[in-house]
Amino acid sequence: MDTASGTSGRKHRIAIIANGWSSEFLEVTVENIRREAEKDQSDLFIFVTFKLSDNSPAAAKSQLEILDLVHPEDYDGIIMFANTFNSQEEHQRIRQIIESARVPVVSTELHLPGAALVGTSNYQGVYDLACHLIEEHDVKNVVFVSGYEGNEESALRKKALEDALAAHDLKLMDVMPGDFGYYRTARETNKWLDEKKPLPDAFVCANDHMALGLISTLHKRGIEVPRDLIVTGFDQIREAQVSCPIVATVARDWADMAAAAYREVVRQIGHPDPSSEQIFGSRFIPSESCGCEPDEEARNIRLDKMRNHYAESSETSMVDFFFQEVQVAMAKIESKEQFHECAKTTLGRREFFGNDYCICTEPGFFETDDDQQPLEPTCFSEEMDVLYEFRNRESMPLRTFSVSEIYPGYQYEPGKSNVYVFSPMSNTNMVIGYLAIKNYPDILYDLRFKRWCNNMETLLITMRQYIFAQRANRKLREIYMTDFLTGTYNRTGCEKILYPRILAEKAEGNEMLLLFADINCMKVINDEYGHLNGDLAIKATAQALRSSVPKDWLFGRYGGDEFVAVGRRKAAQTIEQYRKKFSEQLEKISKRLKVNFYLTASLGFYIIKPDDTGDIEDYIRKADVSMYEEKELAHQKINEMKALSPH
């Protein structure tokens, strides 16, 4: 890895690791880190998962595989947005990265072993919030809605609440789990009401998402905020500012914290200092959900949301409509090559991800079905397919790349700071690949990003299922039209394959030659030498006919001991020459197989003119007539040989 002191002339490569669901947090932090990185002409590599707390273990594992792309030795420093991760699995994986790192690591908001901390005071803002509720709104009974069990931020916010209550000779009434989530909080609120637990004067939530879940659920049950009780949150997210009521909350300075995280990781390059710690303040913002008037900024945010609601809704719908069009266009794609060609006229028409992005897939995704080798949620292959690449608004050729490049074709560009985003593509328990985007981090700030990824994942999985279904169907058709004894077409195959070939050649004005072979005295062979020798005679005759005609001819077993071959007629070659070669081949094969009986076959023919109107049965019938005299002579010769036989 080239460092700042290397010969490449570049400054730094900084990795950022986050959960992509925290879109608003990412918008503020990434943009501020980006501004700092531009001053240094550094490149940022952002790895995002979209793991939810209630994902199945297999789905969680496949989402977290994106972190396997993070090799600390390839970077000068790492910034962990630790506060965005919400499960033990995520924290375990990021701890593993920190343990293997020999470069500085900065964690946001949460203390992680081996990482410096840049965070926010969780305590002061909640303490001030609690004092406001008690002193301004006469709140006495308070329930705390907590984040994940063992979460550092949730614990600090709970302690601040308890300390403020104690300072006013009050105690916390109860704790309701919410796991930082809207839906978990909604479920717990309904459970609280169903069990007829007493309502507090206020629910103090560890974040705004839980506050929104509470307010919505209470409203559906006929309980209004702040008329009947107070609800507060933490984080001052946009959705909490456009709700009704606007949520009273605690704000923290994400912008300054993010800029400080970048400066700190750069400062520590070459001299990591995991003991370093910077803490920024937090402040209480009273608003409608606690019974106070919102400030003018909050009112304007809500008005803007109302003005833009239809446009945002329409744009979201357009993503789904677009993918419906893509799915129709790609409904019968049978290979990655066909996908790539179709993507040029579908995906290439929309710039969802800016001017440069790549869809990278596992090399066996379209080739190896689950019966052969199931694709499991394991680390990425060393080489992957660039299934589709859009570079400078142009579609690029299908190719493979070494996953060590991370972004296909990555090169440091002197004098320029680039931002690369990497997001996993998976399906339940299957790693599909990942999406790589260059210089369009804005997509991270839009929850439609995950909607787009879900649509793409569904499209790829549907394509894969169709490809394998078609392969299975072709195999079944092949079995259905193949003679098990000789491996050539059976009668059905002859009718479905040979006849269409004849029609196609006739349409081009070509004459066709149809050869029809019949084993002589087949009944005698079966009766006197047994059916195993009869099968051997059939195999030998099929092989002789195959080796007597050009390779581009079609042939098959038309009946029990009858064979047909069809190909374009060559005027220079006579039927006698075909018969001679067929006879020689049959004799040669019989000797090689040590056939212990006299094996011969008669060969008839019919020349199919472009203006012939018959079907394949007509042509075979006419070829059979031409074979009659030869067959009579063959039978006569066999009878003569039998008469001379000692027994």
Side-chain angles (χ1 to χ4, degrees):
M1 181 190 74
D2 293 326
T3 61
S5 60
T7 59
S8 69
R10 70 173 177 79
K11 279 291 186 90
H12 311 298
R13 285 166 52 113
I14 305 297
I16 298 173
I17 302 174
N19 186 307
W21 288 114
S22 305
S23 57
E24 189 173 341
F25 173 79
L26 292 177
E27 180 176 359
V28 177
T29 52
V30 169
E31 283 305 308
N32 279 275
I33 289 176
R34 188 181 186 182
R35 280 193 281 271
E36 294 295 319
E38 285 175 346
K39 298 175 185 176
D40 295 338
Q41 301 171 13
S42 298
D43 286 345
L44 302 177
F45 298 78
I46 306 172
F47 300 87
V48 294
T49 74
F50 282 93
K51 184 188 175 302
L52 293 170
S53 58
D54 56 354
N55 280 145
S56 68
K61 183 173 176 57
S62 59
Q63 273 290 312
L64 292 177
E65 286 309 314
I66 195 70
L67 300 184
D68 269 2
L69 294 178
V70 184
H71 301 292
E73 65 273 13
D74 292 336
Y75 303 96
D76 299 299
I78 301 172
I79 299 174
M80 293 280 189
F81 286 151
N83 55 302
T84 66
F85 294 109
N86 51 33
S87 71
Q88 291 295 327
E89 297 96 333
E90 289 172 309
H91 282 280
Q92 182 179 352
R93 293 295 291 273
I94 62 177
R95 283 191 173 95
Q96 289 172 352
I97 292 172
I98 295 172
E99 288 172 4
S100 65
R102 296 294 181 267
V103 296
V105 181
V106 171
S107 169
T108 60
E109 301 292 12
L110 298 179
H111 288 91
L112 293 176
L117 174 69
V118 175
T120 303
S121 169
N122 287 277
Y123 187 92
Q124 190 59 51
V126 176
Y127 190 93
D128 294 342
L129 177 154
C131 290
H132 173 84
L133 297 184
I134 296 165
E135 296 167 6
E136 299 297 326
H137 300 288
D138 197 29
V139 165
K140 293 182 173 58
N141 299 309
V142 179
V143 170
F144 180 67
V145 185
S146 67
Y148 298 103
E149 185 177 354
N151 178 266
E152 177 185 331
E153 291 185 291
S154 180
L156 284 170
R157 293 166 197 176
K158 178 173 177 283
K159 185 177 189 312
L161 176 60
E162 290 175 324
D163 288 352
L165 288 167
H168 293 80
D169 297 323
L170 299 170
K171 289 185 178 180
L172 190 63
M173 176 179 167
D174 207 341
V175 175
M176 184 173 80
D179 290 353
F180 288 129
Y182 178 96
Y183 293 107
R184 172 68 193 276
T185 304
R187 290 196 299 270
E188 292 295 332
T189 304
N190 276 317
K191 181 180 176 183
W192 186 288
L193 298 174
D194 292 341
E195 293 176 355
K196 301 190 184 305
K197 289 186 177 182
L199 289 174
D201 300 325
F203 281 103
V204 174
C205 302
N207 76 355
D208 288 346
H209 291 290
M210 295 189 293
L212 291 170
L214 250 169
I215 292 169
S216 176
T217 306
L218 291 171
H219 173 73
K220 291 175 184 176
R221 301 288 291 263
I223 301 168
E224 297 299 329
V225 175
R227 185 194 67 191
D228 301 316
L229 54 80
I230 288 169
V231 174
T232 66
F234 194 107
D235 278 337
Q236 200 185 22
I237 66 171
R238 191 175 295 113
E239 290 303 319
Q241 300 307 295
V242 300
S243 67
C244 187
I246 296 172
V247 177
T249 189
V250 175
R252 43 183 170 176
D253 201 338
W254 287 340
D256 286 348
M257 182 188 72
Y262 176 83
R263 290 194 297 269
E264 182 61 21
V265 79
V266 169
R267 185 186 70 82
Q268 292 193 26
I269 290 175
H271 305 283
D273 179 14
S275 64
S276 174
E277 185 173 312
Q278 295 181 56
I279 302 297
F280 291 81
S282 60
R283 62 190 186 282
F284 169 57
I285 309 291
S287 199
E288 293 174 343
S289 71
C290 74
C292 293
E293 287 295 316
D295 58 27
E296 185 177 355
E297 182 182 0
R299 287 196 182 96
N300 289 335
I301 290 172
R302 182 160 63 186
L303 284 173
D304 284 343
K305 179 70 173 181
M306 293 168 65
R307 291 188 187 103
N308 297 322
H309 173 73
Y310 180 76
E312 291 176 1
S313 176
S314 297
E315 288 171 8
T316 299
S317 297
M318 287 305 296
V319 173
D320 294 332
F321 292 152
F322 171 70
F323 267 94
Q324 288 174 12
E325 292 178 6
V326 174
Q327 286 170 347
V328 169
M330 296 188 172
K332 295 187 177 180
I333 294 296
E334 294 193 30
S335 67
K336 61 188 179 187
E337 289 79 13
Q338 288 185 20
F339 175 93
H340 182 267
E341 289 303 310
C342 191
K344 292 179 183 179
T345 57
T346 53
L347 301 179
R349 290 192 295 108
R350 297 293 183 92
E351 297 175 11
F352 282 120
F353 305 124
N355 301 331
D356 297 88
Y357 67 89
C358 302
I359 299 172
C360 308
T361 55
E362 283 292 312
F365 183 71
F366 292 120
E367 283 75 27
T368 308
D369 67 31
D370 294 336
D371 291 335
Q372 296 172 299
Q373 182 180 343
L375 290 175
E376 298 179 356
T378 56
C379 59
F380 294 103
S381 301
E382 291 184 4
E383 285 200 342
M384 297 182 69
D385 290 328
V386 184
L387 186 63
Y388 181 71
E389 180 178 5
F390 197 60
R391 186 193 303 169
N392 295 326
R393 299 188 177 182
E394 295 289 338
S395 298
M396 305 305 293
L398 179 70
R399 63 189 177 92
T400 61
F401 77 106
S402 171
V403 78
S404 62
E405 295 176 22
I406 303 297
Y407 190 92
Y410 169 78
Q411 288 184 331
Y412 175 71
E413 299 175 47
K416 187 175 181 181
S417 174
N418 291 311
V419 181
Y420 300 89
V421 174
F422 305 93
S423 176
M425 290 193 300
S426 60
N427 179 264
T428 309
N429 62 345
M430 180 190 299
V431 170
I432 298 172
Y434 63 88
L435 179 66
I437 304 167
K438 180 181 179 181
N439 289 337
Y440 194 58
D442 311 55
I443 196 68
L444 289 173
Y445 322 147
D446 188 340
L447 285 177
R448 285 174 298 179
F449 176 43
K450 182 54 181 170
R451 197 183 196 96
W452 192 99
C453 290
N454 285 342
N455 277 307
M456 178 54 68
E457 290 163 355
T458 300
L459 173 62
L460 293 175
I461 288 294
T462 302
M463 278 178 49
R464 184 174 189 263
Q465 292 170 342
Y466 179 78
I467 289 171
F468 294 153
Q470 288 300 99
R471 289 178 188 170
N473 288 339
R474 283 194 293 271
K475 192 173 291 185
L476 288 173
R477 285 197 297 271
E478 186 178 315
I479 293 170
Y480 172 64
M481 294 190 298
T482 301
D483 173 51
F484 74 96
L485 191 60
T486 63
T488 64
Y489 288 119
N490 57 21
R491 185 171 186 134
T492 301
C494 290
E495 292 171 348
K496 291 185 175 294
I497 303 297
L498 273 65
Y499 188 57
R501 168 74 174 273
I502 293 169
L503 292 177
E505 293 286 351
K506 283 166 60 179
E508 293 182 10
N510 298 319
E511 285 189 352
M512 298 289 286
L513 178 61
L514 182 144
L515 301 178
F516 188 66
D518 187 307
I519 298 175
N520 297 319
C521 298
M522 185 65 191
K523 185 176 185 307
V524 175
I525 295 173
N526 278 326
D527 291 346
E528 296 186 8
Y529 297 93
H531 286 280
L532 288 178
N533 278 304
D535 288 348
L536 185 62
I538 290 170
K539 291 179 181 178
T541 305
Q543 190 175 345
L545 183 60
R546 186 195 302 243
S547 57
S548 301
V549 298
K551 290 183 178 180
D552 62 344
W553 279 40
L554 298 177
F555 51 91
R557 183 183 176 191
Y558 196 71
D561 63 339
E562 300 170 336
F563 305 87
V564 61
V566 174
R568 191 178 296 181
R569 183 191 176 202
K570 293 181 180 179
Q573 196 162 1
T574 67
I575 186 62
E576 291 308 320
Q577 289 174 317
Y578 280 112
R579 281 174 171 162
K580 184 175 183 296
K581 187 173 183 180
F582 174 52
S583 178
E584 290 172 349
Q585 288 293 323
L586 185 56
E587 183 179 358
K588 180 180 176 182
I589 291 168
S590 296
K591 287 180 180 179
R592 190 178 74 241
L593 295 176
K594 298 180 180 178
V595 173
N596 59 354
F597 51 86
Y598 186 56
L599 175 61
T600 64
S602 299
L603 191 68
F605 73 98
Y606 180 70
I607 298 172
I608 306 168
K609 305 287 187 180
D611 57 353
D612 270 338
T613 58
D615 58 22
I616 194 167
E617 290 188 0
D618 295 326
Y619 304 144
I620 288 174
R621 193 161 45 247
K622 292 173 181 177
D624 192 32
V625 170
S626 79
M627 183 177 63
Y628 181 76
E629 290 183 5
E630 186 187 15
K631 198 167 188 68
E632 285 295 308
L633 290 172
H635 283 179
Q636 183 179 339
K637 186 174 181 180
I638 291 171
N639 289 332
E640 289 173 355
M641 291 180 66
K642 287 179 66 178
L644 295 173
S645 175
H647 61 275

